[in-house]
């Protein structure tokens, strides 16, 4: 028999980088904590990029009862980022990588009184990923720690955190059967393996055939089988598995069990406002409920291995998953070994989950690194490792927008995917469409996906003239309306993932009225507010639960004669009532628009069949300043909208490409850029050296570039005056 004891209580935490003996000696004076725990729950979420990164200690005495058993192992489901485990002062194991599980054996090191001391360290490192990325690297024992007592004869526990049992189901769709191979690792002589009611006694590996197989069929029917293995000592392991076929076609996109199944969904980070990454099972189940409500059929579990419980939830809910390691943003020449061990652990520990379709090698790795031989070699090794360990799944990669599509790195993974932020960080929305059209035309035989896209929004900010960079709920909604359509028109995209389902902590950020948060979420960090864009996707993806949603409900005070009332719904007809009087009906799909005169206070009701939504808005004489985040940019916009521009001459409304066609206007631009370059050397250099980026910049209007770079109103006006003095042609 196997006994697992979760060590939740009675830990002492010491936030100090001290020797083990000192930690043990002063443990009583430490802070009492329960696991899961992170020391960055507050300082990792409040901005300033100043959260504690260092080594801390967790100390706990193990009771007699807890240490009983023939062979005793200790399991860490996640210790961020590196850990050293000591029992009674003896060092037992060192582990690098904050997102995968690891174990060590305690047998032989136990005595009368047993003191466990764990040094956990999230400081800077040149060897352990991640080191540069847009999220908080929380430190701590933020997932469960357990004792596992097993008999002398038992399943393997040490190697890469293995579950001891590996199931490979290969499905024959025509014959409606599955060939299931079950492998086990143990120190016994034989093992009884059971699948679907059939038991085989073998040395370690058995093959089964399941006739008339019940498929794991995505959201509709995520059926799970169980495989179990038992040794004569009574030690037993079991795992669920699913029988399904994933396939990708460059023209037709993703297939599940032989039918077209475009993967449309979101990404998720594993943190929560106030808790950091120390989540409970209930927190995870609550996240999954929101994902189901949205109607997404895929998740990119970014940017690292998530909790086993979460992959379990994906298995149970039929969500197709992209799993990845935190090989992100910046390649480290001394980090190769760590990418390989993190990948080895990810695949070993997650192999049995039917939800996982692809292994992600890296994310935007060329954002801060050149494509050199070392980086290519690292990717080749990772790719080979994935194929060696798992020939049944494809490998992929999330490419940064400025990575040239003919870069040799794109040839390494089986399929590719791009992260594009046109319409947010730079460029215009249409450039997303153009990018994929060009790619698809140039590479008709390559499978391509859209691994990230998004725009930040703080639900406190609103506008009737939303625009890029204003952080309004309305701009985020417009952005996603465009993207949803763009994606629907391109079914060849094998998967698309909104960045991100939830706002998340990035302590280095300070923007959009919040400190320490990336606000690209469709839902706020505390999960309490679904932004309008959430309802847009729900209208497009959730066909189960009829609803109508009135947009801009938080935009109460409006300073205009006429206002737009926008409704998102998964119904085909929406009726509008203003102050109890029928106003009109719109038919269509997903987005329904009305315009109404704004006279005073109004109660607006949208209705479709049995479902309805209501809001109140009111006419005000002055714009409500509390809705505006970027007051300087807003005033530039106001000035610019009112300004008469002579179209026969150049102006800041022209694109950089147009301006460059004229030597005189081009020289004005160069002079302006050179000034900017001397202020922000690195960025300008990156643009200069990157033809792809230069091409994209050529399509940006000068005004959008100036606003994005934070230029003040006076200098924008000055550049415009100079350009207006230069005639076109
Ligand atoms: C990236 C990256 C994310 C990041 C996002 C953003 O390119 O992969 O980790 O959070 O863009 O800027 O919001």
């Amino acid at each position: 028999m196997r006994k697992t004891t979760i060590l939740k209580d009675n830990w002492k935490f010491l936030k100090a980088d001290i020797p083990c003996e000192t930690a043990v000696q002063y443990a009583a004076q430490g802070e009492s904590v329960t696991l899961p725990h992170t020391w960055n729950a507050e300082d990792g979420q409040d901005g300033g990029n100043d959260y504690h990164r260092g080594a801390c200690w967790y100390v706990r005495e193990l009771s007699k009862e807890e240490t009983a058993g023939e062979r005793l192992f200790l399991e860490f489901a996640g210790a961020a980022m590196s850990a050293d485990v000591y029992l009674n002062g003896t060092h037992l194991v060192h582990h690098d990588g904050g997102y995968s599980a690891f174990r060590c054996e305690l047998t032989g090191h136990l005595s009368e009184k047993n003191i466990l001391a764990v040094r956990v360290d999230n400081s800077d490192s040149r060897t352990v990923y991640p080191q540069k990325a847009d999220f908080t690297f929380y430190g701590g024992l933020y997932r469960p720690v357990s004792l596992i007592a097993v008999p002398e004869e038992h399943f393997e526990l040490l190697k890469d955190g293995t579950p001891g049992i590996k199931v490979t189901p290969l499905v024959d769709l025509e014959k409606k059967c599955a060939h299931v191979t079950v492998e086990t690792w143990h120190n016994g002589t034989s093992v009884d393996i059971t699948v679907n009611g059939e038991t085989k006694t073998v040395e370690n590996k058995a093959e089964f055939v399941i006739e008339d197989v019940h498929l794991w069929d995505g959201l509709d029917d995520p059926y799970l089988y169980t495989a179990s293995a038992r040794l004569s000592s009574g030690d037993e392991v079991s795992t669920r598995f699913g029988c399904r076929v994933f396939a990708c076609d460059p023209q037709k996109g993703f297939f599940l069990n032989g039918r077209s199944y475009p993967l449309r969904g979101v990404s998720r980070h594993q943190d929560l406002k106030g808790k950091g990454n120390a989540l409970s099972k209930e927190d995870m189940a609550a996240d999954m409920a929101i994902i189901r409500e949205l109607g997404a059929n895929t998740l990119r579990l970014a940017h690292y291995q998530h909790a086993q419980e979460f992959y379990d939830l994906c298995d149970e809910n039929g969500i197709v998953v992209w799993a990845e390691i935190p090989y992100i943003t910046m390649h480290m020449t001394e980090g190769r070994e760590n990418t390989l061990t993190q990948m080895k652990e990810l695949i070993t520990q997650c192999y049995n989950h039917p939800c996982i379709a692809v292994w992600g090698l890296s994310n935007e790795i060329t954002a801060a690194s050149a494509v050199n031989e070392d980086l290519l070699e690292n990717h080749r090794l990772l790719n080979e490792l994935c194929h060696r360990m798992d020939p049944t799944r494809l490998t992929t990669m999330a490419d940064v927008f400025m990575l040239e599509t003919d870069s040799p790195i794109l040839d390494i993974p089986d399929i590719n995917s791009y992260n594009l932020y046109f319409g947010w960080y730079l460029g215009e929305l249409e450039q997303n469409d153009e990018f994929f059209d060009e790619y698809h035309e140039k590479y008709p035989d390559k499978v391509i996906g859209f691994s990230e896209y998004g725009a930040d929004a703080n639900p406190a900010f609103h506008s009737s003239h939303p625009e890029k960079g204003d952080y309004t709920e309305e701009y985020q909604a417009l952005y996603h309306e465009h993207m949803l359509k763009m994606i629907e028109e391109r079914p060849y995209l094998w998967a698309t993932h909104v960045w991100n389902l939830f706002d998340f902590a990035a302590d280095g950020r300070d923007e959009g009225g919040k400190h320490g948060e990336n606000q690209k979420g469709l839902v706020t960090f505390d999960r309490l507010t679904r932004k309008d864009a959430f309802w847009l996707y729900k209208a497009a993806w959730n066909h189960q639960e009829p609803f109508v949603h009135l947009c801009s409900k938080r935009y109460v005070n409006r300073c205009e004669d006429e206002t737009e009332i926008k409704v998102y719904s998964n119904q085909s007809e929406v009726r509008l009532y203003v102050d109890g009087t029928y106003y009109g009906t719109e038919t269509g799909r997903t987005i329904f628009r009305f315009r109404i005169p704004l006279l005073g206070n109004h109660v607006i009701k949208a209705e479709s069949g049995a479902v309805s939504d209501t809001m109140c808005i009111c006419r005000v004489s002055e714009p409500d300043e509390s809705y505006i985040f970027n007051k300087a940019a807003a005033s530039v916009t106001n000035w610019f909208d009112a300004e008469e521009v002579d179209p026969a001459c150049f102006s800041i409304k022209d694109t950089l490409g147009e301006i460059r066609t004229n030597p005189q206007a081009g020289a004005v631009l160069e002079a302006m850029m050179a000034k900017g370059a001397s202020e922000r050397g690195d960025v300008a250099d990156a643009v200069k050296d990157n033809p792809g980026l230069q091409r994209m910049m050529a399509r940006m209007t000068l005004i959008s570039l100036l606003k994005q770079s934070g230029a003040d109103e006076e200098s924008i006006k000055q550049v415009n005056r100079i350009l207006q003095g230069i005639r076109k042609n």
Side-chain angles (χ1 to χ4, degrees), residues 70-276:
E70 272 178 82
R71 299 277 293 265
L72 192 66
F73 293 81
L74 188 61
E75 176 183 275
F76 293 82
M81 298 289 174
S82 294
D84 286 280
V85 181
Y86 296 81
L87 184 72
N88 304 328
T90 305
H91 184 252
L92 298 184
V93 68
H94 173 82
H95 183 262
D96 284 329
Y99 306 95
S100 48
F102 64 97
R103 305 192 184 101
C104 63
E105 183 160 10
L106 302 187
T107 328
H109 302 284
L110 293 160
S111 55
E112 271 308 293
K113 185 175 152 102
N114 291 294
I115 305 289
L116 177 65
V118 191
R119 180 181 190 271
V120 187
D121 187 358
N122 69 337
S123 41
D124 274 341
S125 154
R126 290 194 316 243
T127 53
V128 183
Y129 286 96
Q131 287 304 324
K132 194 178 171 75
D134 178 36
F135 59 95
T136 295
F137 306 145
Y138 298 102
L141 290 181
Y142 72 98
R143 287 187 194 149
V145 174
S146 311
L147 284 169
I148 305 175
V150 290
E152 184 51 42
E153 186 194 52
H154 59 272
F155 289 95
E156 170 68 37
L157 283 151
L158 294 180
K159 200 170 177 329
D160 304 321
T162 176
I165 180 167
K166 176 178 169 189
V167 184
T168 308
L170 293 179
V171 179
D172 185 329
L173 289 173
E174 262 170 37
K175 297 201 177 110
K176 286 196 76 184
C177 70
H179 295 263
V180 181
T181 306
V182 183
E183 293 159 89
T184 60
W185 288 264
H186 57 83
N187 60 359
T189 46
S190 71
V191 56
D192 291 343
I193 300 181
T194 305
V195 167
N196 206 27
E198 188 182 352
T199 301
K200 296 188 177 183
T201 304
V202 292
E203 215 170 286
N204 48 37
K205 176 175 167 179
E207 316 252 345
F208 298 83
V209 176
I210 304 179
E211 303 288 355
D212 200 17
V213 62
H214 192 157
L215 297 174
W216 185 91
D217 205 23
L219 295 180
D220 292 344
D221 186 14
Y223 187 80
L224 296 170
Y225 286 94
T226 300
S228 57
R230 194 181 163 85
L231 298 169
S232 56
S233 65
D235 191 30
E236 190 171 341
V237 285
S238 74
T239 181
R240 297 183 305 183
F241 67 96
C243 298
R244 79 283 183 266
V245 182
F246 295 140
C248 282
D249 180 278
Q251 295 296 330
K252 297 186 192 142
F254 194 81
F255 280 72
L256 171 65
N257 299 329
R259 73 175 196 281
S260 167
Y261 193 83
L263 297 178
R264 302 293 176 253
V266 294
S267 283
R268 171 188 183 258
H269 261 302
Q270 59 172 16
D271 69 342
L272 190 59
K273 178 103 181 152
K275 282 197 168 186

Side-chain angles (χ1 to χ4, degrees), residues 133-135 269 300 302-303 324 328-329 363-364 367 398-401 419-421 424-425 452 454 456 499-500 504 506 509 518-520:
D134 178 36
F135 59 95
H269 261 302
R300 179 171 171 217
H303 282 305
E324 68 189 45
I328 179 168
T329 320
N363 177 74
E364 297 201 346
D399 307 321
V400 69
F401 77 98
N419 297 351
L420 302 182
Y421 285 95
W424 181 246
Y425 289 124
E452 275 185 37
D456 293 72
W499 189 260
N500 194 294
F504 60 89
R509 281 188 182 257
N518 183 313
Q519 295 186 81
K520 292 190 187 67

Side-chain angles (χ1 to χ4, degrees), residues 262-268 296-302 319-324 357-358 396 398 417-421 449-454 479-480 483 487 493-501 522 537 541:
L263 297 178
R264 302 293 176 253
V266 294
S267 283
R268 171 188 183 258
N297 64 8
T298 181
L299 274 178
R300 179 171 171 217
L301 292 180
I319 305 282
V320 177
V321 167
W322 163 323
E324 68 189 45
V358 293
T396 190
S417 214
Y418 263 87
N419 297 351
L420 302 182
Y421 285 95
F450 197 8
S451 28
E452 275 185 37
Y453 64 100
Y479 170 95
H480 283 292
M483 299 310 243
I487 288 166
L493 294 170
W494 72 271
T496 64
H497 294 101
V498 174
W499 189 260
N500 194 294
L501 175 55
L522 304 178
Y537 287 104
W541 295 341

